Amino acid sequence: MTTKLLPAALLAAAVGIAPAAAQTSTSSYSAAGKKAQVFTTAQGTNQRLAPGAALSFAPAGQPVETQVCVFVDPSHQFQTLLGIGGALTDASAEVFAKLPKAQQQELLQAYYSPSQGIGYSLARTNIASCDFSSGSYTYVADNDASLKSFSVKHDEQYKIPLIKQATAAAGGKLTLFVSPWSPPAWMKTNHSLLKGGKLLPEFRQPWANHYVKFIQAYEKMGIPVWGLSVQNEPMATQTWESCLYTAEEERDFIKEYLGPTLAKAGLGGKKLIAWDHNRDLLYQRASTVLDDPAAAKYVWGIGYHWYETWTTSGPLFDNERRVKEAFPNTNLLFTEGCVESFKFDQVNDWKLGERYGNSMINDFNAGTVGWTDWNILLDETGGPNHVGNFCFAPVIADTKTGKLIYTNAYYYIGHFSKFVRPGARRVATTTNRDWLQATSFRNTDGKVAVVVMNSSDKPQEFQLWIKGQAASTTAAPHSMATYVIN
């Protein structure tokens, strides 16, 4: 049994979040007289971003310890949201191209329409091939250090058309950043795109020029590039495209080559992201790069992934907090995450979405400004992937039938992306039970969106408590709910 997309009429009933108006002053926020519209996704029900009855706030005194509460304080604000979205990889683009036209349009609307879908506003794509490509490829001929042969013609078949259609579906603007998995083999110590290796010193400048060529080529084709990361997963020797940098090597490449080269080409305004790997070494990498002013001046933010769990560790959210404490003016960006080891019979596993909910709530509460899922779409094998590294995506296409399968991860992400819009500011939020997790943002139109996840097996009554006003509600077992306060 597959989970169906919520009908457009129901999604359209969701409260719209205006993207434009200036941030409202919050020093005297009051929930008195306000209502909260609730949207719910719950296990064992047909609720998927389903609108429910509005809640009313009433005066509430000091809560006692036996009262379960989610406390929201819009008068204390933190980071501004850049956006939420997913990666437009070769794999996603190739699967998209196999879909019937009706399902292509359904997918674009489901992800990118703020009214009919979940309003993705952020995207990532790969510079040359990655594991989620049908095969390895580069943009330049062997040993062409001058890059005269540079061409992105490969991407014109699938990836560039998808990026353009996604941008159009998002209303004409999609914040896109780009990441390389490997320099060309001839630029590397191991003479291979795969299995790690390092950038040879004599090719540091040609490789820096390669980023410029890529950005210019995409922008010439009508695809604005907002930012770039230095290297995907620079501490992982993978069976697929990979390249290793120590923290010092990445720092020096940024300050001596990549930063100056972008600036010289008139691309100094592009947002440069260091690290782009797991939370485990996040602080060590960030501090090495950012404690050097000559490198730090080029760096907009530190990107990170969630795969530190391969070591059997839990997610290391505190490492994000340490970076934000030490470098408050540097942005944190979640650049990649997916559930690994795809099995088709697990597409309806509720744990898929709960992993997203747990990560997104904690990442935002730690100061993250944007959140980027991995592939937006994969096929019924969890691919294509040219090294067999098959994974889940929020939407799976059964290419044999042409049908789209929406996992609960799609809806869990949507509880953020649909109701917390770019420009929103996170506000102080706490709970007094660990099975209720929450985060909140105030959008530019003044509406507050509170996202609450109940990861327990039991329904939980609680008070949504805002500065002496409270609304009573119940979180269903294994549910996600967004409360949009007018």
Side-chain angles (χ1 to χ4, degrees):
M1 180 179 165
T2 61
T3 302
K4 292 183 179 177
L5 176 65
L6 197 65
L10 283 179
L11 277 175
V15 176
I17 307 294
Q23 191 73 41
T24 311
S25 169
T26 56
S27 55
S28 58
Y29 185 91
S30 173
K34 290 184 165 63
K35 290 187 180 294
Q37 176 70 63
V38 59
F39 302 87
T40 304
T41 297
Q43 186 179 31
T45 74
N46 61 3
Q47 291 182 299
R48 301 292 182 269
L49 285 168
L55 307 176
S56 297
F57 285 88
Q62 170 66 50
V64 296
E65 291 173 310
T66 53
Q67 286 179 291
V68 180
C69 294
V70 172
F71 298 101
V72 180
D73 185 356
S75 64
H76 292 278
Q77 298 188 347
F78 305 97
Q79 79 271 21
T80 299
L81 185 78
L82 169 69
I84 297 167
L88 299 162
T89 58
D90 291 306
S92 293
E94 289 167 31
V95 175
F96 180 82
K98 292 178 182 177
L99 291 173
K101 289 290 183 197
Q103 278 66 44
Q104 289 183 344
Q105 292 308 306
E106 178 188 319
L107 184 90
L108 290 169
Q109 186 179 76
Y111 268 124
Y112 295 99
S113 169
S115 57
Q116 306 298 314
I118 61 172
Y120 268 16
S121 56
L122 184 61
R124 181 193 193 204
T125 200
N126 45 300
I127 299 176
S129 59
C130 67
D131 53 327
F132 279 93
S133 304
S134 289
S136 297
Y137 65 89
T138 63
Y139 300 128
V140 293
D142 284 354
N143 304 310
D144 176 17
S146 68
L147 307 184
K148 285 180 181 171
S149 61
F150 187 94
S151 169
V152 295
K153 188 164 185 60
H154 170 279
D155 298 359
E156 292 179 35
Q157 185 176 8
Y158 298 118
K159 198 164 63 163
I160 286 172
L162 175 59
I163 294 171
K164 287 185 173 181
Q165 289 181 75
T167 303
K173 181 173 184 251
L174 191 59
T175 301
L176 175 71
F177 67 99
V178 298
S179 305
W181 267 244
S182 176
W186 51 271
M187 289 190 184
K188 294 173 65 184
T189 55
N190 66 344
H191 307 295
S192 172
L193 293 173
L194 319 179
K195 300 179 181 177
K198 294 197 173 195
L199 178 65
L200 287 161
E202 61 266 33
F203 292 119
R204 287 171 186 158
Q205 188 57 57
W207 181 231
N209 297 340
H210 188 282
Y211 297 80
V212 170
K213 288 272 193 185
F214 180 84
I215 293 169
Q216 290 174 338
Y218 263 51
E219 296 201 328
K220 190 174 181 181
M221 301 189 79
I223 298 174
V225 174
W226 168 85
L228 66 158
S229 68
V230 180
Q231 169 63 44
N232 179 72
E233 299 187 346
M235 285 302 293
T237 300
Q238 306 284 27
T239 57
W240 55 87
E241 288 80 351
S242 41
C243 185
L244 304 179
Y245 292 79
T246 65
E248 293 77 15
E249 287 165 345
E250 185 176 11
R251 174 198 67 198
D252 295 348
F253 179 63
I254 289 169
K255 73 177 178 180
E256 294 169 12
Y257 295 94
L258 185 53
T261 300
L262 290 167
K264 189 176 178 182
L267 301 177
K270 304 301 180 188
K271 305 300 189 282
L272 186 58
I273 300 157
W275 187 223
D276 201 1
H277 202 167
N278 298 330
R279 300 185 189 98
D280 49 4
L281 300 180
L282 183 64
Y283 185 87
Q284 184 265 340
R285 181 69 52 136
S287 61
T288 303
V289 172
L290 298 174
D291 279 336
D292 185 329
K297 71 179 182 180
Y298 295 113
V299 176
W300 171 87
I302 304 295
Y304 65 93
H305 303 178
W306 74 13
Y307 309 111
E308 69 270 16
T309 51
W310 74 270
T311 64
T312 72
S313 168
L316 297 167
F317 301 117
D318 274 348
N319 292 354
E320 301 170 44
R321 298 183 181 98
R322 297 298 87 78
V323 171
K324 199 62 191 167
E325 288 166 357
F327 306 99
N329 296 321
T330 297
N331 297 285
L332 285 169
L333 181 66
F334 185 89
T335 48
E336 184 186 318
C338 72
V339 178
E340 300 159 286
S341 303
F342 180 82
K343 293 182 179 63
F344 188 77
D345 62 2
Q346 293 178 2
V347 294
N348 291 313
D349 191 331
W350 207 255
K351 290 178 183 174
L352 296 175
E354 289 192 334
R355 182 166 179 187
Y356 279 85
N358 180 55
S359 184
M360 294 180 80
I361 289 170
N362 282 282
D363 293 334
F364 286 131
N365 286 343
T368 289
V369 301
W371 210 94
T372 328
D373 184 33
W374 191 209
N375 306 277
I376 63 162
L377 177 70
L378 292 172
D379 67 18
E380 66 277 5
T381 71
N385 186 294
H386 71 90
V387 292
N389 181 34
F390 301 119
C391 296
F392 288 87
V395 182
I396 297 293
D398 186 339
T399 58
K400 295 167 188 167
T401 64
K403 290 184 178 176
L404 297 174
I405 301 165
Y406 293 80
T407 75
N408 74 318
Y410 165 83
Y411 298 102
Y412 269 55
I413 297 168
H415 276 277
F416 300 88
S417 60
K418 185 172 181 66
F419 304 109
V420 181
R421 303 301 298 158
R425 293 191 66 188
R426 183 174 65 86
V427 303
T429 308
T430 60
T431 79
N432 62 354
R433 298 294 187 273
D434 67 353
W435 54 88
L436 286 186
Q437 295 177 269
T439 191
S440 308
F441 285 80
R442 190 169 194 191
N443 285 288
T444 55
D445 64 356
K447 290 176 181 170
V448 175
V450 184
V451 185
V452 180
M453 185 170 90
N454 178 8
S455 57
S456 77
D457 297 330
K458 297 177 182 177
Q460 178 62 67
E461 295 181 2
F462 70 93
Q463 297 279 309
L464 181 58
W465 198 98
I466 304 178
K467 300 177 81 68
Q469 296 280 326
S472 297
T473 186
T474 300
H478 294 286
S479 70
M480 180 77 93
T482 303
Y483 301 86
V484 180
I485 303 165
N486 62 22

PDB file of all heavy atoms in Angstrom, residues 7 9 53-54 65 79 100 161 269 287 308 336 338 343 347 353 367 406 420 426 441 451 457 473 483:
ATOM      1  N   PRO A   7      -4.565  15.546  -1.512  1.00  0.00           N
ATOM      2  CA  PRO A   7      -5.175  16.297  -2.613  1.00  0.00           C
ATOM      3  C   PRO A   7      -4.818  17.775  -2.542  1.00  0.00           C
ATOM      4  O   PRO A   7      -4.749  18.366  -1.465  1.00  0.00           O
ATOM      5  CB  PRO A   7      -6.678  16.076  -2.384  1.00  0.00           C
ATOM      6  CG  PRO A   7      -6.768  14.774  -1.655  1.00  0.00           C
ATOM      7  CD  PRO A   7      -5.542  14.735  -0.783  1.00  0.00           C
ATOM      8  N   ALA A   9      -6.458  20.340  -3.056  1.00  0.00           N
ATOM      9  CA  ALA A   9      -7.431  21.200  -2.383  1.00  0.00           C
ATOM     10  C   ALA A   9      -7.173  21.279  -0.894  1.00  0.00           C
ATOM     11  O   ALA A   9      -7.318  22.334  -0.276  1.00  0.00           O
ATOM     12  CB  ALA A   9      -8.834  20.682  -2.637  1.00  0.00           C
ATOM     13  N   ALA A  53      -9.263  21.541  13.296  1.00  0.00           N
ATOM     14  CA  ALA A  53      -9.963  22.686  13.890  1.00  0.00           C
ATOM     15  C   ALA A  53      -8.963  23.652  14.522  1.00  0.00           C
ATOM     16  O   ALA A  53      -7.954  23.235  15.097  1.00  0.00           O
ATOM     17  CB  ALA A  53     -10.959  22.195  14.932  1.00  0.00           C
ATOM     18  N   ALA A  54      -9.268  24.945  14.402  1.00  0.00           N
ATOM     19  CA  ALA A  54      -8.393  25.961  14.985  1.00  0.00           C
ATOM     20  C   ALA A  54      -8.482  25.926  16.508  1.00  0.00           C
ATOM     21  O   ALA A  54      -9.536  25.623  17.087  1.00  0.00           O
ATOM     22  CB  ALA A  54      -8.779  27.337  14.472  1.00  0.00           C
ATOM     23  N   GLU A  65       4.330  21.371  37.377  1.00  0.00           N
ATOM     24  CA  GLU A  65       5.223  20.412  36.730  1.00  0.00           C
ATOM     25  C   GLU A  65       4.492  19.222  36.119  1.00  0.00           C
ATOM     26  O   GLU A  65       5.017  18.536  35.245  1.00  0.00           O
ATOM     27  CB  GLU A  65       6.276  19.924  37.726  1.00  0.00           C
ATOM     28  CG  GLU A  65       7.265  21.020  38.091  1.00  0.00           C
ATOM     29  CD  GLU A  65       8.199  20.605  39.208  1.00  0.00           C
ATOM     30  OE1 GLU A  65       7.699  20.111  40.235  1.00  0.00           O
ATOM     31  OE2 GLU A  65       9.410  20.772  39.040  1.00  0.00           O
ATOM     32  N   GLN A  79      18.327  32.928  14.507  1.00  0.00           N
ATOM     33  CA  GLN A  79      18.740  32.986  13.101  1.00  0.00           C
ATOM     34  C   GLN A  79      17.561  33.180  12.156  1.00  0.00           C
ATOM     35  O   GLN A  79      16.419  32.853  12.464  1.00  0.00           O
ATOM     36  CB  GLN A  79      19.516  31.714  12.721  1.00  0.00           C
ATOM     37  CG  GLN A  79      18.674  30.464  12.445  1.00  0.00           C
ATOM     38  CD  GLN A  79      18.396  29.635  13.679  1.00  0.00           C
ATOM     39  OE1 GLN A  79      18.471  30.117  14.813  1.00  0.00           O
ATOM     40  NE2 GLN A  79      18.065  28.369  13.491  1.00  0.00           N
ATOM     41  N   PRO A 100       5.790   9.715 -16.599  1.00  0.00           N
ATOM     42  CA  PRO A 100       4.797  10.329 -17.482  1.00  0.00           C
ATOM     43  C   PRO A 100       4.678  11.823 -17.162  1.00  0.00           C
ATOM     44  O   PRO A 100       4.903  12.244 -16.023  1.00  0.00           O
ATOM     45  CB  PRO A 100       3.507   9.580 -17.138  1.00  0.00           C
ATOM     46  CG  PRO A 100       3.952   8.305 -16.489  1.00  0.00           C
ATOM     47  CD  PRO A 100       5.230   8.615 -15.782  1.00  0.00           C
ATOM     48  N   PRO A 161      17.531  20.664 -17.336  1.00  0.00           N
ATOM     49  CA  PRO A 161      16.078  20.827 -17.504  1.00  0.00           C
ATOM     50  C   PRO A 161      15.287  20.674 -16.200  1.00  0.00           C
ATOM     51  O   PRO A 161      14.328  21.420 -15.966  1.00  0.00           O
ATOM     52  CB  PRO A 161      15.716  19.723 -18.505  1.00  0.00           C
ATOM     53  CG  PRO A 161      16.975  19.493 -19.280  1.00  0.00           C
ATOM     54  CD  PRO A 161      18.088  19.685 -18.287  1.00  0.00           C
ATOM     55  N   GLY A 269      30.692  37.349  -4.343  1.00  0.00           N
ATOM     56  CA  GLY A 269      29.427  37.378  -3.628  1.00  0.00           C
ATOM     57  C   GLY A 269      28.787  36.011  -3.470  1.00  0.00           C
ATOM     58  O   GLY A 269      27.806  35.858  -2.732  1.00  0.00           O
ATOM     59  N   SER A 287      36.805  25.339  13.353  1.00  0.00           N
ATOM     60  CA  SER A 287      37.766  26.161  14.082  1.00  0.00           C
ATOM     61  C   SER A 287      39.076  26.306  13.321  1.00  0.00           C
ATOM     62  O   SER A 287      39.692  27.385  13.311  1.00  0.00           O
ATOM     63  CB  SER A 287      38.017  25.584  15.482  1.00  0.00           C
ATOM     64  OG  SER A 287      38.551  24.278  15.404  1.00  0.00           O
ATOM     65  N   GLU A 308      27.162  10.771  10.738  1.00  0.00           N
ATOM     66  CA  GLU A 308      28.059  10.317  11.811  1.00  0.00           C
ATOM     67  C   GLU A 308      27.516   9.081  12.511  1.00  0.00           C
ATOM     68  O   GLU A 308      28.245   8.382  13.221  1.00  0.00           O
ATOM     69  CB  GLU A 308      28.310  11.432  12.831  1.00  0.00           C
ATOM     70  CG  GLU A 308      27.126  11.837  13.696  1.00  0.00           C
ATOM     71  CD  GLU A 308      26.291  12.951  13.085  1.00  0.00           C
ATOM     72  OE1 GLU A 308      26.429  13.215  11.876  1.00  0.00           O
ATOM     73  OE2 GLU A 308      25.488  13.558  13.813  1.00  0.00           O
ATOM     74  N   GLU A 336      23.298  17.859   3.531  1.00  0.00           N
ATOM     75  CA  GLU A 336      22.892  16.551   3.003  1.00  0.00           C
ATOM     76  C   GLU A 336      22.488  15.586   4.104  1.00  0.00           C
ATOM     77  O   GLU A 336      23.134  15.508   5.140  1.00  0.00           O
ATOM     78  CB  GLU A 336      24.032  15.910   2.198  1.00  0.00           C
ATOM     79  CG  GLU A 336      23.641  14.597   1.533  1.00  0.00           C
ATOM     80  CD  GLU A 336      24.812  13.898   0.859  1.00  0.00           C
ATOM     81  OE1 GLU A 336      25.620  14.584   0.194  1.00  0.00           O
ATOM     82  OE2 GLU A 336      24.938  12.676   1.007  1.00  0.00           O
ATOM     83  N   CYS A 338      20.149  11.540   4.131  1.00  0.00           N
ATOM     84  CA  CYS A 338      19.141  10.609   3.619  1.00  0.00           C
ATOM     85  C   CYS A 338      19.214   9.345   4.468  1.00  0.00           C
ATOM     86  O   CYS A 338      20.185   9.125   5.184  1.00  0.00           O
ATOM     87  CB  CYS A 338      19.359  10.273   2.138  1.00  0.00           C
ATOM     88  SG  CYS A 338      20.771   9.196   1.818  1.00  0.00           S
ATOM     89  N   LYS A 343      15.359  -0.369   0.907  1.00  0.00           N
ATOM     90  CA  LYS A 343      14.582  -1.600   0.717  1.00  0.00           C
ATOM     91  C   LYS A 343      13.163  -1.173   0.361  1.00  0.00           C
ATOM     92  O   LYS A 343      12.525  -0.432   1.115  1.00  0.00           O
ATOM     93  CB  LYS A 343      14.586  -2.465   1.976  1.00  0.00           C
ATOM     94  CG  LYS A 343      15.944  -3.050   2.308  1.00  0.00           C
ATOM     95  CD  LYS A 343      15.875  -3.931   3.547  1.00  0.00           C
ATOM     96  CE  LYS A 343      17.241  -4.544   3.866  1.00  0.00           C
ATOM     97  NZ  LYS A 343      18.258  -3.515   4.197  1.00  0.00           N
ATOM     98  N   VAL A 347       9.255   1.386   2.377  1.00  0.00           N
ATOM     99  CA  VAL A 347       8.909   2.767   2.003  1.00  0.00           C
ATOM    100  C   VAL A 347       7.821   3.353   2.895  1.00  0.00           C
ATOM    101  O   VAL A 347       7.674   4.579   2.969  1.00  0.00           O
ATOM    102  CB  VAL A 347       8.504   2.888   0.514  1.00  0.00           C
ATOM    103  CG1 VAL A 347       9.670   2.592  -0.398  1.00  0.00           C
ATOM    104  CG2 VAL A 347       7.296   2.027   0.198  1.00  0.00           C
ATOM    105  N   GLY A 353      10.389   9.253   8.422  1.00  0.00           N
ATOM    106  CA  GLY A 353      10.055  10.637   8.720  1.00  0.00           C
ATOM    107  C   GLY A 353      10.543  11.087  10.080  1.00  0.00           C
ATOM    108  O   GLY A 353      10.974  12.234  10.242  1.00  0.00           O
ATOM    109  N   GLY A 367      20.845  26.450  15.638  1.00  0.00           N
ATOM    110  CA  GLY A 367      21.241  27.657  14.920  1.00  0.00           C
ATOM    111  C   GLY A 367      21.360  27.525  13.415  1.00  0.00           C
ATOM    112  O   GLY A 367      21.783  28.467  12.738  1.00  0.00           O
ATOM    113  N   TYR A 406       4.802   8.563  -1.909  1.00  0.00           N
ATOM    114  CA  TYR A 406       5.200   9.606  -0.963  1.00  0.00           C
ATOM    115  C   TYR A 406       5.429   8.966   0.401  1.00  0.00           C
ATOM    116  O   TYR A 406       4.479   8.518   1.049  1.00  0.00           O
ATOM    117  CB  TYR A 406       4.119  10.683  -0.875  1.00  0.00           C
ATOM    118  CG  TYR A 406       3.977  11.475  -2.152  1.00  0.00           C
ATOM    119  CD1 TYR A 406       3.253  10.952  -3.219  1.00  0.00           C
ATOM    120  CD2 TYR A 406       4.583  12.709  -2.305  1.00  0.00           C
ATOM    121  CE1 TYR A 406       3.130  11.653  -4.409  1.00  0.00           C
ATOM    122  CE2 TYR A 406       4.473  13.418  -3.488  1.00  0.00           C
ATOM    123  CZ  TYR A 406       3.743  12.887  -4.541  1.00  0.00           C
ATOM    124  OH  TYR A 406       3.634  13.587  -5.719  1.00  0.00           O
ATOM    125  N   VAL A 420       7.213  27.360   7.412  1.00  0.00           N
ATOM    126  CA  VAL A 420       8.327  28.219   7.831  1.00  0.00           C
ATOM    127  C   VAL A 420       9.021  28.667   6.554  1.00  0.00           C
ATOM    128  O   VAL A 420       9.702  27.887   5.890  1.00  0.00           O
ATOM    129  CB  VAL A 420       9.307  27.458   8.748  1.00  0.00           C
ATOM    130  CG1 VAL A 420      10.438  28.381   9.174  1.00  0.00           C
ATOM    131  CG2 VAL A 420       8.582  26.885   9.962  1.00  0.00           C
ATOM    132  N   ARG A 426      13.803  32.169  13.810  1.00  0.00           N
ATOM    133  CA  ARG A 426      13.518  31.216  14.881  1.00  0.00           C
ATOM    134  C   ARG A 426      13.299  31.960  16.182  1.00  0.00           C
ATOM    135  O   ARG A 426      13.989  32.951  16.470  1.00  0.00           O
ATOM    136  CB  ARG A 426      14.676  30.215  15.044  1.00  0.00           C
ATOM    137  CG  ARG A 426      14.389  29.156  16.118  1.00  0.00           C
ATOM    138  CD  ARG A 426      15.474  28.097  16.155  1.00  0.00           C
ATOM    139  NE  ARG A 426      16.764  28.611  16.559  1.00  0.00           N
ATOM    140  CZ  ARG A 426      17.173  28.733  17.814  1.00  0.00           C
ATOM    141  NH1 ARG A 426      16.377  28.379  18.817  1.00  0.00           N
ATOM    142  NH2 ARG A 426      18.378  29.189  18.089  1.00  0.00           N
ATOM    143  N   PHE A 441       9.208  29.346  14.533  1.00  0.00           N
ATOM    144  CA  PHE A 441       9.717  30.475  13.751  1.00  0.00           C
ATOM    145  C   PHE A 441       8.614  31.517  13.619  1.00  0.00           C
ATOM    146  O   PHE A 441       7.424  31.181  13.557  1.00  0.00           O
ATOM    147  CB  PHE A 441      10.116  30.024  12.346  1.00  0.00           C
ATOM    148  CG  PHE A 441      11.413  29.264  12.282  1.00  0.00           C
ATOM    149  CD1 PHE A 441      11.464  27.921  12.616  1.00  0.00           C
ATOM    150  CD2 PHE A 441      12.584  29.886  11.866  1.00  0.00           C
ATOM    151  CE1 PHE A 441      12.648  27.201  12.541  1.00  0.00           C
ATOM    152  CE2 PHE A 441      13.775  29.188  11.789  1.00  0.00           C
ATOM    153  CZ  PHE A 441      13.812  27.842  12.130  1.00  0.00           C
ATOM    154  N   VAL A 451       6.376  23.823  15.340  1.00  0.00           N
ATOM    155  CA  VAL A 451       6.408  22.437  14.867  1.00  0.00           C
ATOM    156  C   VAL A 451       6.669  21.530  16.069  1.00  0.00           C
ATOM    157  O   VAL A 451       7.661  21.719  16.783  1.00  0.00           O
ATOM    158  CB  VAL A 451       7.495  22.235  13.796  1.00  0.00           C
ATOM    159  CG1 VAL A 451       7.432  20.812  13.233  1.00  0.00           C
ATOM    160  CG2 VAL A 451       7.336  23.251  12.663  1.00  0.00           C
ATOM    161  N   ASP A 457       4.658   6.305  21.845  1.00  0.00           N
ATOM    162  CA  ASP A 457       3.581   5.414  21.402  1.00  0.00           C
ATOM    163  C   ASP A 457       2.210   5.841  21.918  1.00  0.00           C
ATOM    164  O   ASP A 457       1.215   5.172  21.643  1.00  0.00           O
ATOM    165  CB  ASP A 457       3.860   3.977  21.891  1.00  0.00           C
ATOM    166  CG  ASP A 457       5.124   3.396  21.294  1.00  0.00           C
ATOM    167  OD1 ASP A 457       5.462   3.767  20.163  1.00  0.00           O
ATOM    168  OD2 ASP A 457       5.767   2.566  21.974  1.00  0.00           O
ATOM    169  N   THR A 473      -4.260  21.147  23.440  1.00  0.00           N
ATOM    170  CA  THR A 473      -4.275  20.299  22.263  1.00  0.00           C
ATOM    171  C   THR A 473      -3.716  18.928  22.624  1.00  0.00           C
ATOM    172  O   THR A 473      -3.261  18.714  23.754  1.00  0.00           O
ATOM    173  CB  THR A 473      -3.475  20.944  21.104  1.00  0.00           C
ATOM    174  OG1 THR A 473      -3.626  20.166  19.917  1.00  0.00           O
ATOM    175  CG2 THR A 473      -2.005  21.082  21.455  1.00  0.00           C
ATOM    176  N   TYR A 483       1.547  24.208  14.161  1.00  0.00           N
ATOM    177  CA  TYR A 483       0.539  25.123  14.651  1.00  0.00           C
ATOM    178  C   TYR A 483       0.873  26.503  14.097  1.00  0.00           C
ATOM    179  O   TYR A 483       1.935  27.065  14.424  1.00  0.00           O
ATOM    180  CB  TYR A 483       0.538  25.152  16.181  1.00  0.00           C
ATOM    181  CG  TYR A 483       0.270  23.789  16.788  1.00  0.00           C
ATOM    182  CD1 TYR A 483       1.303  22.873  17.008  1.00  0.00           C
ATOM    183  CD2 TYR A 483      -1.023  23.404  17.136  1.00  0.00           C
ATOM    184  CE1 TYR A 483       1.048  21.618  17.533  1.00  0.00           C
ATOM    185  CE2 TYR A 483      -1.290  22.151  17.681  1.00  0.00           C
ATOM    186  CZ  TYR A 483      -0.232  21.262  17.868  1.00  0.00           C
ATOM    187  OH  TYR A 483      -0.493  20.022  18.398  1.00  0.00           O
TER     188      TYR A 483
END
